[in-house]
Amino acid sequence: MYILGEEELKAVEQTFKTGNLDRYVDGENSVTAKFEREFAHKMGSSNSLAVSSGTAALICGLVGMGVGPGDEVIIPGYTYAATALAVLAVGAIPVITEIDASMGIDPIDIQRKISVRTKAVIPVHMCGLPCNMSAIMDIAKNSNIQVLEDAAQACGGSYGGQRLGSIGHAGIFSFNHYKIISCGEGGALITNDNILFQNALLHHDGGCIHEAEGNRPDIQIPTFAGWNFRLTEILSAILRVQLKRLDDILASLRDEKRVLTERLSDVHEGVRPVISNDSKGDCGTAFFLQFESEKQANLFAQYSEQQKIDVWFPDYSGHVYSDWEPLFEKRGAHHPARDAFCIAQHVPDYTRDMCPNTTSILKRTVGISTDVNRDDRELDVLSSDIKGIIRKVF
Ligand SMILES: *Cc1c(COP(=O)(O)O)cnc(C)c1O
């Protein structure tokens, strides 16, 4: 949570006082419907669906694309586990792909991993860093696969002037506590594809019983049994305020990242900031230093810790494929008849060293979080401390 203030509290109070916490009571005038319209507009998409988490948004996106048992979905080896788990949740098989030096999914490896079973690819814009979307969209077009952008960590970022999440066939966002804008737990899906959207809509609300009652008369597809991923009015009220803060939050994070990049680019040839696929579109949530060797990165982290500077390796808790136990155990669900690994005719061999480039990059890259509350003086101290530590490493 970057900023949470009085405005959110006021919005919660107002909504509370209406006595309606369900998104359907007020129909198109509900707080959730208002948030969806504002969010779609801000992200440059024609449809948006607010849901209860980023994971739910991923599942709805895959459902919307018609992904199911036997299908393969290509995902990067560096992402939060939810990306892989959402693929398993719809009964499909996650195929793990390398990242490149930009920390995004490696287009060359996507091409290599495409099979006759591939239905979709999920590029993940980790820490607000845009993936190489032009290469990915070209590959997807040529191979006739769908693109679901995981922009859980990249709300408001862009690539080539287009918002992240709006470039692929659909995009998802998370509003959990750690994300750029947040309501504690929440998520959203955006898409310009009306049929994809309607399938996602049905899935998020148990087959849209509420729509059947006349709240959304525009469903053109047959119904099916879905889940409940609805967002409450209180959380939507928080999100409407958070969305208004988005530009300021991004401006502040980007400013700080720009300063760190300027000051720390040429300290030593053995280390450089991660080069973004679109430095203007980068959200600026983290500044990454990439070392030539693991040993140098470890030394840097060790010296930083001694000086009480908070740095981190990107492969912490669940963010790297080698941590995703359900994959290695081939346990894709609670019951074999719903388990993607039992249903599929072809299951890849998952090994903990199957993406060596990803492992190497994550062990040579150290992150420093930007902070909306850090002032200029603190930033001066931080950058000169880091400069000193780099010199000590070499
Ligand atoms: C946070 C996150 C998710 C899942 O979002 P939740 O709201 O926690 O379900 C998915 N993908 C990535 C890359 C994330 O960082």
Side-chain angles (χ1 to χ4, degrees), residues 131-148:
C131 292
N132 183 349
M133 287 310 293
S134 61
I136 295 166
M137 294 311 290
D138 281 350
I139 293 170
K141 197 170 173 201
N142 291 333
S143 308
N144 198 24
I145 59 177
Q146 307 233 54
V147 179
L148 175 58

Side-chain angles (χ1 to χ4, degrees), residues 52-56 58 79-80 82-83 124-126 150-153 172-176 179 185-187 319:
S52 51
S53 71
T55 308
L58 281 167
T79 175
Y80 183 53
T83 314
V124 185
H125 310 296
M126 290 297 279
D150 182 337
Q153 302 187 7
I172 73 96
F173 304 86
S174 166
F175 306 126
N176 86 21
K179 307 299 156 97
E185 296 282 6
H319 288 77

Side-chain angles (χ1 to χ4, degrees), residues 100-149:
D100 61 24
S102 75
M103 311 294 280
I105 193 166
D106 178 0
I108 297 165
D109 205 33
I110 295 179
Q111 190 72 65
R112 234 182 262 136
K113 298 276 166 70
I114 288 176
S115 78
V116 289
R117 297 169 295 274
T118 310
K119 200 74 169 267
V121 56
I122 309 183
V124 185
H125 310 296
M126 290 297 279
C127 300
L129 286 161
C131 292
N132 183 349
M133 287 310 293
S134 61
I136 295 166
M137 294 311 290
D138 281 350
I139 293 170
K141 197 170 173 201
N142 291 333
S143 308
N144 198 24
I145 59 177
Q146 307 233 54
V147 179
L148 175 58
E149 291 178 78

